[in-house]
Amino acid sequence: MTQKPFIHLIKSPYHHYVFDVNTNSILRVSKELSEYLQAEQIGKAAPTLSQSAAQEMDSLKQNGYLKTKHPKKIENPQIRDVEYLLEYQLNMLTLQVTQQCNFRCSYCTYSTGDGIIQRGHSSKSMSIQTAKQAVDFFKKRVRHRSKINIGYYGGEPLIEWPLIKEVTKYAQKCLEGKELTFSMTTNATLLTEEMARFFTENHFSLLISLDGPKEIHDRSRRFAGNGEGTFETVIAKIEEMKRKVPGFQDILSFNSVIDPCNPSACISEFFRNMHTDARASTLNPPPGTSLVYPMEYLREMKKASLIGCLHHLGLVPNDKMDLFSTNQAGQIHMNMDHKMTLKELPDVCGHAGPCIPGLSRMFVDVQGNIFPCERCSETSGSMKIGHIAKGFDYDNIKKVMGIASLTEDSCKNYWALFKCDICAAQISEEKEFSAAGILSKCANVRNNAEENLRQVIAVSEVQKMAHTLRQGERS
């Protein structure tokens, strides 16, 4: 039986394309060749090619495209280097200084925590001894790094302000000689002038949770004690600190959790008027549920994608970008950067999702347990990768990195293998990972991978159109 090329076919409004998996390349092809390859892929009798289309296919094959090779084994190639990287090259330490929070946000994973999929809010806080021990653990494992970061996380981290202040000074002394910065995710309601000055003077960046204008923000973000909206307090604190503390504005950025049912235009306008960096993250629905995407939201996202494409090409200036088009431009830039071409697929490879657990964002909970990052379930034994008193658990780390081996047969034939972003945190269960958990995410991954390819194609087509228009103007 003749093997089929390992490809994926895409059609834009203007042209036909082949994504060649072996070389990680996007190739423009004729409609006739595209239809021939499509018939071949689905097992139908392929039509006879015209001479020009046959020559087109021969040319592609002679240039190394349309190969039939699939990987023979699915394995994360970084596993062999994991012990060196985690013992010498940690990048960031995130300290969960408290599990308390003065907010009860309706969509917060800890507000809906059931103690099985995720913990709930609690009164637990990190001791100063545990925090300093975590810094010492980090210090021993950044020997080959020059730039490092320590982040404070909660709950609401400002509840533990005295600890944050002491640990920051301790870390600066311990890690002298490194380019050390600090970061914090906070709701800002507990900010004082003393805190703001300290953060401004000690190389902090603050990511403030703010969902948009009052009517949108207060719908989800409410005080724990009385259930009242928090918008007025957050804004008042920010404006007060900006007035009193020179440079405070410069260390601020905002994170907006987006519910697609909310009007995106007024959220964009709100952050444009804030005159500071903002980023958007889509709401994570409770387990067993899914989001509803209204047509208005989908239209706005398509518009944002187009503007992001034009911005990437230098055709839309920064001052014309809003929250959503800026997000899309960032995604497009990342997609264009990931266009590395290959000669062919290696015999052994892994999908793109699993990180090296703990390397980029090592997360230490209030009790000193280590997790790959702050997004992981703290109740999942499969995601715990060590303890600051005992070191890393390399057996479990290798399990986290090797989740694709559970679905090896499917992954070998998966055109989006290198674009698959399924990470262990998305599929972690109480004790073990499962093939079913991975496969349940595949449809969404394929959709996202195809959308990313379409963005790259759109950038290429617009670029060629702009070039043609310029050539016409010159002539």
Side-chain angles (χ1 to χ4, degrees), residues 6-8 10 18-28 63-67 69 334-346 350 352 414-420 449 452-453 456-457:
F6 197 9
I7 59 172
H8 179 67
I10 310 171
V18 168
F19 173 62
D20 188 72
V21 181
N22 267 277
T23 61
N24 196 37
S25 301
I26 301 172
L27 314 168
R28 180 177 159 185
N63 283 285
Y65 302 115
L66 304 184
K67 291 179 180 177
K69 182 176 180 179
M334 186 167 66
N335 291 340
M336 299 301 288
D337 275 355
H338 287 179
K339 286 200 307 177
M340 179 182 71
T341 55
L342 306 170
K343 184 177 181 181
E344 67 178 15
L345 286 172
Y414 188 27
W415 69 265
L417 177 64
F418 287 151
K419 300 182 183 301
C420 174
N452 291 343
L453 290 177
V456 173
I457 289 169

Side-chain angles (χ1 to χ4, degrees), residues 112-173:
T112 59
D114 58 4
I116 299 174
I117 294 175
Q118 182 56 284
R119 70 166 177 87
H121 292 293
S122 84
S123 59
K124 295 177 183 177
S125 290
M126 181 175 280
S127 69
I128 190 66
Q129 292 80 11
T130 299
K132 288 182 177 180
Q133 191 177 1
V135 172
D136 293 339
F137 182 93
F138 185 57
K139 176 187 176 181
K140 292 176 183 177
R141 292 163 176 82
V142 296
R143 284 167 283 185
H144 293 179
R145 285 274 187 189
S146 57
K147 297 180 180 180
I148 53 176
N149 180 268
I150 293 177
Y152 297 105
Y153 195 77
E156 170 47 49
L158 291 181
I159 290 172
E160 291 295 325
W161 160 240
L163 180 144
I164 290 169
K165 189 174 180 181
E166 184 173 346
V167 171
T168 298
K169 292 300 183 184
Y170 180 78
Q172 288 172 329
K173 184 177 180 180

Side-chain angles (χ1 to χ4, degrees), residues 39-104:
E40 188 177 47
Q41 289 291 302
I42 62 177
K44 291 178 66 175
T48 303
L49 286 174
S50 67
Q51 184 178 0
S52 62
Q55 289 174 343
E56 180 185 6
M57 185 164 69
D58 288 342
S59 176
L60 289 173
K61 289 181 176 179
Q62 288 168 13
N63 283 285
Y65 302 115
L66 304 184
K67 291 179 180 177
T68 62
K69 182 176 180 179
H70 290 238
K72 296 178 180 178
K73 184 178 181 181
I74 300 299
E75 181 179 275
N76 193 319
Q78 295 178 308
I79 283 180
R80 61 180 176 267
D81 299 320
V82 66
E83 293 190 29
Y84 160 71
L85 291 168
L86 291 180
E87 295 298 334
Y88 290 90
Q89 292 224 34
L90 294 185
N91 178 62
M92 180 179 180
L93 166 65
T94 302
L95 297 174
Q96 182 189 65
V97 295
T98 184
Q99 292 183 355
Q100 298 182 67
C101 188
N102 61 333
F103 277 24
R104 287 297 181 270

Side-chain angles (χ1 to χ4, degrees), residues 148-285:
I148 53 176
N149 180 268
I150 293 177
Y152 297 105
Y153 195 77
E156 170 47 49
L158 291 181
I159 290 172
E160 291 295 325
W161 160 240
L163 180 144
I164 290 169
K165 189 174 180 181
E166 184 173 346
V167 171
T168 298
K169 292 300 183 184
Y170 180 78
Q172 288 172 329
K173 184 177 180 180
C174 270
L175 294 160
E176 190 174 0
K178 300 289 185 183
E179 190 174 330
L180 174 63
T181 56
F182 298 90
S183 56
M184 184 186 302
T185 301
T186 175
N187 62 42
T189 56
L190 301 178
L191 270 172
T192 65
E193 184 177 346
E194 178 195 4
M195 295 176 189
R197 290 191 185 280
F198 182 85
F199 297 146
T200 304
E201 293 166 1
N202 286 280
H203 307 289
F204 269 73
S205 60
L206 300 186
L207 180 64
I208 296 177
S209 306
L210 186 65
D211 288 351
K214 178 179 172 62
E215 63 274 15
I216 289 175
H217 177 93
D218 282 350
R219 197 174 298 161
S220 300
R221 295 189 183 270
R222 296 183 172 274
F223 281 114
N226 56 22
E228 293 183 358
T230 58
F231 178 85
E232 298 290 356
T233 305
V234 174
I235 293 298
K237 285 288 185 178
I238 293 169
E239 293 304 318
E240 178 188 0
M241 299 310 146
K242 283 161 62 176
R243 286 195 311 272
K244 291 181 175 179
V245 182
F248 183 72
Q249 166 89 29
D250 299 332
I251 68 170
L252 298 183
S253 60
F254 295 95
N255 182 57
S256 175
V257 178
I258 304 299
D259 181 342
C261 292
N262 287 329
S264 55
C266 72
I267 296 173
S268 289
E269 185 61 26
F270 172 81
F271 282 107
R272 189 192 298 275
N273 293 333
M274 291 291 288
H275 303 293
T276 193
D277 290 338
R279 70 187 192 197
S281 56
T282 307
L283 179 68
N284 283 321

Side-chain angles (χ1 to χ4, degrees), residues 95 105 110 158 224 314 447:
L95 297 174
C105 302
Y110 304 122
L158 291 181
N447 291 338

